[in-house]
Short mmCIF file of all heavy atoms in Angstrom, two decimals:
data_model
loop_
_atom_site.label_atom_id
_atom_site.label_comp_id
_atom_site.label_asym_id
_atom_site.label_seq_id
_atom_site.Cartn_x
_atom_site.Cartn_y
_atom_site.Cartn_z
N ASP A 82 -10.31 -11.80 17.99
CA ASP A 82 -8.88 -12.05 17.89
C ASP A 82 -8.65 -13.57 17.92
O ASP A 82 -8.88 -14.22 18.95
CB ASP A 82 -8.15 -11.36 19.04
CG ASP A 82 -6.65 -11.52 18.97
OD1 ASP A 82 -6.14 -12.49 18.37
OD2 ASP A 82 -5.96 -10.65 19.53
N TRP A 83 -8.23 -14.12 16.81
CA TRP A 83 -8.03 -15.54 16.67
C TRP A 83 -7.01 -16.07 17.67
O TRP A 83 -7.20 -17.14 18.27
CB TRP A 83 -7.61 -15.89 15.24
CG TRP A 83 -7.24 -17.31 15.03
CD1 TRP A 83 -6.01 -17.84 14.86
CD2 TRP A 83 -8.14 -18.43 14.98
NE1 TRP A 83 -6.07 -19.20 14.71
CE2 TRP A 83 -7.36 -19.58 14.76
CE3 TRP A 83 -9.52 -18.57 15.10
CZ2 TRP A 83 -7.92 -20.86 14.67
CZ3 TRP A 83 -10.08 -19.83 14.99
CH2 TRP A 83 -9.28 -20.96 14.78
N ASP A 84 -5.93 -15.34 17.84
CA ASP A 84 -4.89 -15.82 18.77
C ASP A 84 -5.44 -15.97 20.19
O ASP A 84 -5.08 -16.91 20.88
CB ASP A 84 -3.70 -14.85 18.78
CG ASP A 84 -2.87 -14.95 17.50
OD1 ASP A 84 -2.90 -16.00 16.83
OD2 ASP A 84 -2.18 -13.96 17.17
N ALA A 85 -6.30 -15.08 20.59
CA ALA A 85 -6.85 -15.12 21.96
C ALA A 85 -8.03 -16.08 22.10
O ALA A 85 -8.26 -16.60 23.19
CB ALA A 85 -7.28 -13.71 22.38
N HIS A 86 -8.77 -16.31 21.02
CA HIS A 86 -10.05 -17.04 21.15
C HIS A 86 -10.21 -18.23 20.21
O HIS A 86 -11.32 -18.70 19.98
CB HIS A 86 -11.22 -16.06 20.94
CG HIS A 86 -11.22 -14.93 21.91
ND1 HIS A 86 -11.54 -15.11 23.25
CD2 HIS A 86 -10.93 -13.62 21.75
CE1 HIS A 86 -11.46 -13.94 23.86
NE2 HIS A 86 -11.07 -13.03 22.99
N LYS A 87 -9.10 -18.75 19.67
CA LYS A 87 -9.23 -19.86 18.72
C LYS A 87 -9.77 -21.14 19.34
O LYS A 87 -10.33 -21.99 18.66
CB LYS A 87 -7.91 -20.13 18.01
CG LYS A 87 -6.79 -20.59 18.91
CD LYS A 87 -5.52 -20.72 18.11
CE LYS A 87 -4.32 -20.85 19.02
NZ LYS A 87 -3.09 -20.66 18.27
N ASN A 88 -9.65 -21.27 20.65
CA ASN A 88 -10.17 -22.46 21.34
C ASN A 88 -11.46 -22.19 22.09
O ASN A 88 -11.86 -22.99 22.94
CB ASN A 88 -9.10 -23.03 22.29
CG ASN A 88 -7.90 -23.54 21.53
OD1 ASN A 88 -8.04 -24.20 20.51
ND2 ASN A 88 -6.71 -23.22 22.02
N SER A 89 -12.11 -21.08 21.78
CA SER A 89 -13.35 -20.73 22.47
C SER A 89 -14.49 -21.66 22.05
O SER A 89 -14.42 -22.32 21.00
CB SER A 89 -13.74 -19.28 22.15
OG SER A 89 -14.10 -19.16 20.78
N GLU A 90 -15.52 -21.70 22.86
CA GLU A 90 -16.71 -22.49 22.52
C GLU A 90 -17.30 -22.03 21.20
O GLU A 90 -17.75 -22.85 20.39
CB GLU A 90 -17.75 -22.39 23.63
CG GLU A 90 -17.41 -23.15 24.88
CD GLU A 90 -18.52 -23.07 25.92
OE1 GLU A 90 -19.71 -23.08 25.55
OE2 GLU A 90 -18.18 -23.02 27.12
N LEU A 91 -17.32 -20.71 20.97
CA LEU A 91 -17.87 -20.18 19.73
C LEU A 91 -17.08 -20.66 18.52
O LEU A 91 -17.67 -21.17 17.55
CB LEU A 91 -17.88 -18.64 19.76
CG LEU A 91 -18.42 -17.97 18.49
CD1 LEU A 91 -19.91 -18.24 18.33
CD2 LEU A 91 -18.12 -16.48 18.51
N ALA A 92 -15.76 -20.54 18.56
CA ALA A 92 -14.93 -20.98 17.44
C ALA A 92 -15.10 -22.48 17.19
O ALA A 92 -15.18 -22.92 16.04
CB ALA A 92 -13.46 -20.65 17.69
N ASN A 93 -15.19 -23.26 18.26
CA ASN A 93 -15.40 -24.70 18.11
C ASN A 93 -16.78 -25.02 17.56
O ASN A 93 -16.93 -25.85 16.67
CB ASN A 93 -15.16 -25.41 19.44
CG ASN A 93 -13.69 -25.42 19.82
OD1 ASN A 93 -12.81 -25.49 18.96
ND2 ASN A 93 -13.42 -25.35 21.11
N ALA A 94 -17.79 -24.34 18.10
CA ALA A 94 -19.17 -24.61 17.65
C ALA A 94 -19.35 -24.25 16.17
O ALA A 94 -20.09 -24.93 15.45
CB ALA A 94 -20.16 -23.84 18.50
N LEU A 95 -18.70 -23.17 15.73
CA LEU A 95 -18.83 -22.75 14.33
C LEU A 95 -17.83 -23.44 13.41
O LEU A 95 -17.83 -23.22 12.21
CB LEU A 95 -18.63 -21.23 14.24
CG LEU A 95 -19.68 -20.37 14.93
CD1 LEU A 95 -19.29 -18.90 14.88
CD2 LEU A 95 -21.05 -20.59 14.29
N GLU A 96 -16.97 -24.26 14.00
CA GLU A 96 -15.93 -24.98 13.25
C GLU A 96 -15.08 -24.01 12.44
O GLU A 96 -14.88 -24.18 11.23
CB GLU A 96 -16.55 -26.08 12.38
CG GLU A 96 -17.27 -27.13 13.18
CD GLU A 96 -17.91 -28.21 12.35
OE1 GLU A 96 -17.84 -28.18 11.10
OE2 GLU A 96 -18.48 -29.13 12.96
N ILE A 97 -14.57 -22.98 13.12
CA ILE A 97 -13.72 -21.99 12.48
C ILE A 97 -12.33 -22.62 12.31
O ILE A 97 -11.67 -22.94 13.31
CB ILE A 97 -13.63 -20.69 13.32
CG1 ILE A 97 -15.04 -20.13 13.57
CG2 ILE A 97 -12.73 -19.68 12.65
CD1 ILE A 97 -15.83 -19.78 12.33
N PRO A 98 -11.88 -22.80 11.07
CA PRO A 98 -10.64 -23.54 10.85
C PRO A 98 -9.36 -22.75 11.07
O PRO A 98 -8.31 -23.35 11.33
CB PRO A 98 -10.74 -23.95 9.37
CG PRO A 98 -11.53 -22.85 8.75
CD PRO A 98 -12.53 -22.44 9.81
N ARG A 99 -9.45 -21.42 10.97
CA ARG A 99 -8.21 -20.63 11.02
C ARG A 99 -8.55 -19.14 11.11
O ARG A 99 -9.70 -18.75 10.95
CB ARG A 99 -7.36 -20.87 9.79
CG ARG A 99 -8.13 -20.59 8.48
CD ARG A 99 -7.31 -20.61 7.25
NE ARG A 99 -6.52 -19.40 7.21
CZ ARG A 99 -5.48 -19.21 6.42
NH1 ARG A 99 -5.12 -20.12 5.58
NH2 ARG A 99 -4.80 -18.09 6.45
N ARG A 100 -7.52 -18.33 11.32
CA ARG A 100 -7.69 -16.88 11.24
C ARG A 100 -8.09 -16.55 9.81
O ARG A 100 -8.03 -17.41 8.93
CB ARG A 100 -6.38 -16.18 11.61
CG ARG A 100 -5.31 -16.42 10.55
CD ARG A 100 -3.96 -16.03 11.02
NE ARG A 100 -2.98 -16.22 9.96
CZ ARG A 100 -2.52 -17.38 9.55
NH1 ARG A 100 -2.97 -18.50 10.10
NH2 ARG A 100 -1.64 -17.46 8.59
N SER A 101 -8.49 -15.33 9.57
CA SER A 101 -8.95 -14.86 8.27
C SER A 101 -10.21 -15.59 7.81
O SER A 101 -10.41 -15.82 6.63
CB SER A 101 -7.86 -14.89 7.20
OG SER A 101 -7.46 -16.20 6.87
N THR A 102 -11.06 -15.94 8.79
CA THR A 102 -12.36 -16.52 8.48
C THR A 102 -13.43 -15.46 8.76
O THR A 102 -13.46 -14.88 9.83
CB THR A 102 -12.63 -17.78 9.32
OG1 THR A 102 -11.64 -18.77 9.04
CG2 THR A 102 -14.00 -18.36 9.06
N LEU A 103 -14.26 -15.24 7.77
CA LEU A 103 -15.38 -14.30 7.87
C LEU A 103 -16.67 -15.11 7.80
O LEU A 103 -16.77 -16.03 6.99
CB LEU A 103 -15.35 -13.30 6.71
CG LEU A 103 -14.04 -12.58 6.45
CD1 LEU A 103 -14.12 -11.75 5.16
CD2 LEU A 103 -13.68 -11.69 7.63
N ILE A 104 -17.64 -14.76 8.65
CA ILE A 104 -18.88 -15.54 8.70
C ILE A 104 -20.05 -14.62 9.03
O ILE A 104 -19.90 -13.69 9.81
CB ILE A 104 -18.73 -16.70 9.72
CG1 ILE A 104 -19.91 -17.64 9.69
CG2 ILE A 104 -18.45 -16.18 11.10
CD1 ILE A 104 -19.67 -18.94 10.47
N VAL A 105 -21.19 -14.86 8.40
CA VAL A 105 -22.41 -14.10 8.69
C VAL A 105 -23.39 -15.03 9.38
O VAL A 105 -23.69 -16.12 8.88
CB VAL A 105 -23.04 -13.50 7.41
CG1 VAL A 105 -24.40 -12.89 7.70
CG2 VAL A 105 -22.12 -12.45 6.82
N LEU A 106 -23.91 -14.56 10.53
CA LEU A 106 -24.82 -15.35 11.35
C LEU A 106 -26.05 -14.53 11.72
O LEU A 106 -25.97 -13.32 11.89
CB LEU A 106 -24.13 -15.77 12.65
CG LEU A 106 -22.81 -16.51 12.53
CD1 LEU A 106 -22.09 -16.49 13.87
CD2 LEU A 106 -23.05 -17.92 12.06
N LYS A 107 -27.16 -15.22 11.86
CA LYS A 107 -28.38 -14.62 12.42
C LYS A 107 -29.10 -15.73 13.14
O LYS A 107 -29.39 -16.78 12.55
CB LYS A 107 -29.27 -13.99 11.36
CG LYS A 107 -30.50 -13.32 11.97
CD LYS A 107 -31.35 -12.64 10.93
CE LYS A 107 -32.56 -11.99 11.59
NZ LYS A 107 -33.46 -11.46 10.58
N GLY A 108 -29.40 -15.49 14.41
CA GLY A 108 -30.03 -16.55 15.20
C GLY A 108 -29.11 -17.75 15.22
O GLY A 108 -27.93 -17.64 15.49
N GLY A 109 -29.64 -18.90 14.91
CA GLY A 109 -28.82 -20.11 14.86
C GLY A 109 -28.37 -20.49 13.47
O GLY A 109 -27.85 -21.57 13.26
N ALA A 110 -28.55 -19.58 12.50
CA ALA A 110 -28.24 -19.92 11.11
C ALA A 110 -27.00 -19.21 10.61
O ALA A 110 -26.73 -18.06 10.96
CB ALA A 110 -29.42 -19.56 10.22
N GLU A 111 -26.26 -19.91 9.77
CA GLU A 111 -25.11 -19.33 9.07
C GLU A 111 -25.56 -18.98 7.66
O GLU A 111 -26.13 -19.79 6.96
CB GLU A 111 -23.97 -20.35 9.03
CG GLU A 111 -22.76 -19.83 8.28
CD GLU A 111 -21.61 -20.82 8.28
OE1 GLU A 111 -21.36 -21.47 9.31
OE2 GLU A 111 -20.96 -20.93 7.22
N TYR A 112 -25.26 -17.75 7.25
CA TYR A 112 -25.67 -17.27 5.93
C TYR A 112 -24.52 -17.21 4.95
O TYR A 112 -24.71 -16.81 3.80
CB TYR A 112 -26.36 -15.90 6.05
CG TYR A 112 -27.74 -16.04 6.63
CD1 TYR A 112 -27.93 -16.12 8.00
CD2 TYR A 112 -28.85 -16.13 5.80
CE1 TYR A 112 -29.20 -16.28 8.53
CE2 TYR A 112 -30.12 -16.29 6.32
CZ TYR A 112 -30.29 -16.36 7.70
OH TYR A 112 -31.55 -16.52 8.21
N GLY A 113 -23.35 -17.59 5.36
CA GLY A 113 -22.21 -17.65 4.46
C GLY A 113 -20.91 -17.49 5.23
O GLY A 113 -20.89 -17.02 6.36
#
Side-chain angles (χ1 to χ4, degrees):
D82 183 335
W83 174 253
D84 287 336
H86 301 289
K87 64 184 166 193
N88 294 317
S89 67
E90 286 183 37
L91 179 68
N93 289 326
L95 295 174
E96 298 179 358
I97 304 300
R99 56 171 286 165
R100 69 193 182 287
S101 67
T102 299
L103 309 173
I104 187 168
V105 172
L106 305 164
K107 182 177 180 187
E111 178 178 320
Y112 286 83

